[in-house]
Amino acid sequence: MIKSREDFFTSGWSFDESERDLRSKFQMMNIAIVLSSIAVLYGTILNYFKEAYSLALFEFILFLSNIFWWYLLRKSKEVYDFVSIWVTAQFTFLLILLIYVSSPEDMKHSWYFTYPIIILYFKNERYAVPWFIFLIFMLLIAPFQPYFETQYTFFELFYLSFVLIVVSVIVYFYKLKMDEAKSLILSQQDMLKSQITELTQKDKLLTLQSKQAVMGEMISMIAHQWRQPLSTVTLTISNLQVKKLLGETIEEEVVDRTLNNISDTIVYLSETIDDFQTYFHPNKDINKVEINDLVKKAVNFALPRLKDTDIIIEHENEANRVIIQTYTNELIQVLLNILNNAIDELIAKKIQNPLVQVNVENLPNELNIYIKDNAGGISQENIEKIFEPYFSTKGKNGTGLGLYMSQMIMHKQFNSLIEVQTNSIGSVFTIKVPKKLA
């Protein structure tokens, strides 16, 4: 079933990459059939009113045959060569007939100038030459054959044949250049597709490496989260065991309280696992979430790294409990990457009174999340490279993927970009988050 204009001119067939030439030939064939059908139908009507009934009948037969070829092209791809031979034959004999039965004043020889295009596009040059020679031969013998009285002189037919040869040569070289240009374009397209495939594979590899790096950081965070509660549970159980070894009487109330504390700790550990599991879940659905809760969750993920440091994370929310529709896990990953970078810089430079501030600004169509630190800023040499893959100022301790993947996530998922400003005091990363994703 033909559903579009392109299907209309390709007879409704689909073509793969190896059938590009056949596709263009189908298009040319269909265009030629449509235009010639209009022309011969017009000629049929005109000749009928001129009482040239024989010519009108011939052109009407050509119109009916065009309908048949049109139908046949839609039944099978394989009939193209057969149809092209017959359509070329129709044009050839139509031109010969017009020369034999019409006069120069009728201007019907103007059909000549479509002929080179037809034979060169329907078939290749090997088939075009015999048709062309046959046409020229039939034209030049027209004044000398005894069966039809022609109104063209030999000089007129020679002149038309000469013009036809010139036009054919021009069309041939034009087609040759068109084919060369087409081949060049197709080769460049293939090269571009190859490069796109290569870049896509590299992007997938970078994404995988980034996820592995983030997973390593998250496992480290889980270890930090679990270490203190597990130590508490171990110490509580050890206290009970020591009392028992010393023969002290352990009151039932103390046992119950101890068991409740252990139970609460286990619940806390379970909730921690649930939070991290939610983060790693590959959910690409758009969720409704309160921006304040989302930022708090990202901050909570980073808090275990602050133990044994003086770093403080301040979270100020100006969004007044605004609910947005967004990719929750992806946005948490972006926030966490930037928070971790700020923490790394504060630790590496041993900043006094280290501070990270997270602020949310509520705008009409978007939220701006600002992550500000006092780690001494980013050098002008590095600030232009921080979003490039594998660029890191941490030496062997950095993968150079965190900020790159954060920028890619914002670009691909949120149609936005991360902006950064820096000075001698510190840096400010601005994350622009649309309130509603399409």
Side-chain angles (χ1 to χ4, degrees), residues 153-389:
T153 65
F154 176 79
F155 175 78
E156 289 172 334
L157 291 176
F158 179 83
Y159 176 76
L160 283 176
S161 299
F162 177 75
V163 172
L164 185 58
I165 292 171
V166 172
V167 171
S168 299
V169 171
I170 293 172
V171 171
Y172 170 75
F173 281 105
Y174 178 76
K175 180 179 179 294
L176 202 62
K177 292 298 180 183
M178 289 276 290
D179 290 341
E180 289 176 359
K182 183 179 178 182
S183 298
L184 178 62
I185 291 171
L186 291 177
S187 65
Q188 290 176 340
Q189 282 182 344
D190 292 337
M191 187 184 302
L192 184 60
K193 286 179 181 178
S194 175
Q195 291 176 346
I196 290 174
T197 302
E198 184 178 349
L199 288 174
T200 303
Q201 291 174 346
K202 287 182 179 179
D203 191 47
K204 288 180 179 178
L205 179 60
L206 287 173
T207 303
L208 178 61
Q209 290 176 337
S210 173
K211 287 181 178 179
Q212 290 172 341
V214 171
M215 188 175 294
E217 292 176 356
M218 291 301 240
I219 291 172
S220 175
M221 292 176 190
I222 292 174
H224 279 291
Q225 292 275 62
W226 275 37
R227 190 170 290 119
Q228 172 102 25
L230 287 175
S231 297
T232 303
V233 170
T234 303
L235 183 60
T236 303
I237 294 173
S238 297
N239 286 338
L240 288 178
Q241 288 175 334
V242 169
K243 286 182 179 181
K244 185 177 179 181
L245 287 172
L246 293 175
E248 295 181 12
T249 302
I250 303 175
E251 296 178 1
E252 186 175 345
E253 182 181 347
V254 174
V255 174
D256 290 340
R257 186 170 62 249
T258 302
L259 291 176
N260 285 333
N261 288 337
I262 292 173
S263 177
D264 291 340
T265 303
I266 292 172
V267 170
Y268 168 76
L269 296 176
S270 178
E271 288 175 349
T272 302
I273 289 295
D274 289 340
D275 286 341
F276 283 102
Q277 186 178 16
T278 301
Y279 172 77
F280 279 114
H281 193 274
N283 183 7
K284 295 296 182 181
D285 294 335
I286 297 175
N287 301 316
K288 287 185 178 181
V289 63
E290 187 182 315
I291 188 63
N292 192 36
D293 292 341
L294 188 147
V295 173
K296 278 184 177 179
K297 184 173 284 190
V299 171
N300 288 338
F301 279 146
L303 286 179
R305 296 196 61 202
L306 305 186
K307 290 180 180 179
D308 303 325
T309 72
D310 298 326
I311 299 173
I312 298 173
I313 296 181
E314 292 181 354
H315 171 213
E316 297 179 8
N317 181 31
E318 300 176 12
N320 297 322
R321 304 183 70 83
V322 172
I323 295 177
I324 61 173
Q325 294 182 0
T326 191
Y327 296 105
T328 306
N329 292 345
E330 282 78 0
L331 188 53
I332 290 176
Q333 181 178 347
V334 172
L335 293 172
L336 191 56
N337 280 335
I338 297 175
L339 286 171
N340 280 330
N341 274 354
I343 293 170
D344 289 339
E345 287 298 307
L346 291 169
I347 293 174
K349 295 180 179 179
K350 299 179 181 179
I351 301 295
Q352 292 185 352
N353 303 316
L355 176 65
V356 179
Q357 294 176 307
V358 184
N359 302 322
V360 181
E361 181 185 14
N362 185 13
L363 298 176
N365 297 318
E366 66 181 12
L367 296 171
N368 283 351
I369 303 176
Y370 302 100
I371 300 179
K372 181 180 179 181
D373 63 62
N374 61 345
I378 306 169
S379 68
Q380 290 299 320
E381 179 185 356
N382 293 334
I383 196 166
E384 296 179 359
K385 303 177 183 177
I386 59 173
F387 293 113
E388 294 179 4

Side-chain angles (χ1 to χ4, degrees), residues 43-72:
T44 300
I45 297 171
L46 194 65
N47 286 317
Y48 177 80
F49 285 106
K50 284 185 174 182
E51 297 183 353
Y53 299 121
S54 298
L55 191 55
L57 178 62
F58 180 76
E59 290 189 316
F60 184 68
I61 292 172
L62 291 183
F63 174 74
L64 294 179
S65 68
N66 276 352
I67 295 176
F68 176 71
W69 305 135
W70 179 270
Y71 169 78
L72 205 58

Side-chain angles (χ1 to χ4, degrees), residues 373 376-380 383 420-429:
D373 63 62
I378 306 169
S379 68
Q380 290 299 320
I383 196 166
V420 59
Q421 294 178 328
T422 188
N423 54 40
S424 59
I425 298 174
S427 304
V428 180
F429 285 82

Side-chain angles (χ1 to χ4, degrees), residues 115-163:
Y115 190 76
I117 300 172
I118 294 166
I119 59 175
L120 286 173
Y121 273 97
F122 285 178
K123 303 295 291 181
N124 58 35
E125 292 80 0
R126 183 180 58 176
Y127 295 97
V129 172
W131 283 109
F132 191 76
I133 293 174
F134 174 72
L135 175 66
I136 297 297
F137 174 74
M138 292 300 294
L139 295 182
L140 293 178
I141 68 168
F144 307 108
Q145 51 81 32
Y147 305 104
F148 296 95
E149 182 180 352
T150 60
Q151 299 184 45
Y152 284 86
T153 65
F154 176 79
F155 175 78
E156 289 172 334
L157 291 176
F158 179 83
Y159 176 76
L160 283 176
S161 299
F162 177 75
V163 172

Side-chain angles (χ1 to χ4, degrees), residues 14-24 77-78:
S14 59
F15 299 91
D16 56 31
E17 292 296 318
S18 63
E19 296 178 311
R20 289 169 177 167
D21 290 338
L22 185 59
R23 180 175 177 273
S24 63
K77 270 187 191 180
E78 285 68 30

